[in-house]
Amino acid sequence: MMVKKELIRKLVDEFYQVANYLIQDQLQAMQLIIDVATGFVAQDSQTLYKIDNEYFERKFLLKLVSLAKQRSEQILNSRSGNINTVEQRACIYLFEFKGEAVDNISEILRISQQQVLSYIDQLPHKSINLNESFDGRTIN
């Protein structure tokens, strides 16, 4: 079963900001969303149609972070003064924007709580920007 265009648009609207924040490349962010969606369809063709479910959204986000971590060495360039790893960015995103607890972040990213606290401690010294738009359109 192919993923319908309308569903991909909805996924992009929902997850583009975080995908672009994690890997900082518009084309790769879109590809990441499409790849995660395709993976869900391969597992269960009806899963994607449950997108309005909070459990599904969390599951999709976790797959997105996991795949971004796997691709990070290919995609990210080190940039001085910026958070430059997917793991750090995912930690900051989950803490700052999703309000996840330190122990949950540790479990999600499979890193120690001390590492999570270290990333969070770096927060005031790093700039965090989520792009507000894609192609001139608000992404929410």
Side-chain angles (χ1 to χ4, degrees):
M1 177 179 181
M2 293 188 59
V3 181
K4 293 184 179 177
K5 183 177 174 181
E6 300 82 31
L7 185 57
I8 291 295
R9 185 76 240 170
K10 188 172 184 176
L11 290 168
V12 167
D13 287 347
E14 182 77 22
F15 295 100
Y16 175 77
Q17 281 184 309
V18 67
N20 191 47
Y21 176 71
L22 292 173
I23 59 176
Q24 299 191 334
D25 180 282
Q26 289 183 352
L27 180 61
Q28 290 295 331
M30 294 289 290
Q31 188 62 48
L32 192 63
I33 292 167
I34 291 167
D35 290 348
V36 172
T38 303
F40 272 97
V41 168
Q43 289 177 346
D44 176 9
S45 62
Q46 296 303 312
T47 302
L48 283 178
Y49 297 95
K50 302 172 186 171
I51 188 172
D52 294 327
N53 178 315
E54 189 175 314
Y55 172 76
F56 170 78
E57 289 178 6
R58 182 177 174 90
K59 199 171 158 183
F60 194 91
L61 177 63
L62 297 180
K63 291 274 190 189
L64 192 74
V65 168
S66 176
L67 187 56
K69 281 176 65 174
Q70 290 175 0
R71 293 183 179 175
S72 65
E73 289 184 16
Q74 301 167 3
I75 298 168
L76 287 177
N77 297 322
S78 65
R79 298 178 180 131
S80 61
N82 289 333
I83 301 168
N84 60 8
T85 70
V86 169
E87 191 171 84
Q88 287 173 313
R89 288 181 171 279
C91 180
I92 302 281
Y93 177 82
L94 291 169
F95 182 77
E96 277 292 303
F97 299 102
K98 288 295 191 180
E100 292 285 344
V102 171
D103 56 336
N104 287 346
I105 296 169
S106 173
E107 186 177 321
I108 290 167
L109 299 179
R110 294 181 179 96
I111 59 176
S112 71
Q113 289 185 16
Q114 291 80 11
Q115 190 66 45
V116 172
L117 291 171
S118 171
Y119 292 155
I120 292 169
D121 188 45
Q122 296 172 18
L123 185 59
H125 308 292
K126 304 288 184 177
S127 62
I128 297 176
N129 295 316
L130 288 181
N131 292 335
E132 287 299 322
S133 65
F134 174 68
D135 291 338
R137 174 178 165 186
T138 301
I139 304 293
N140 290 335

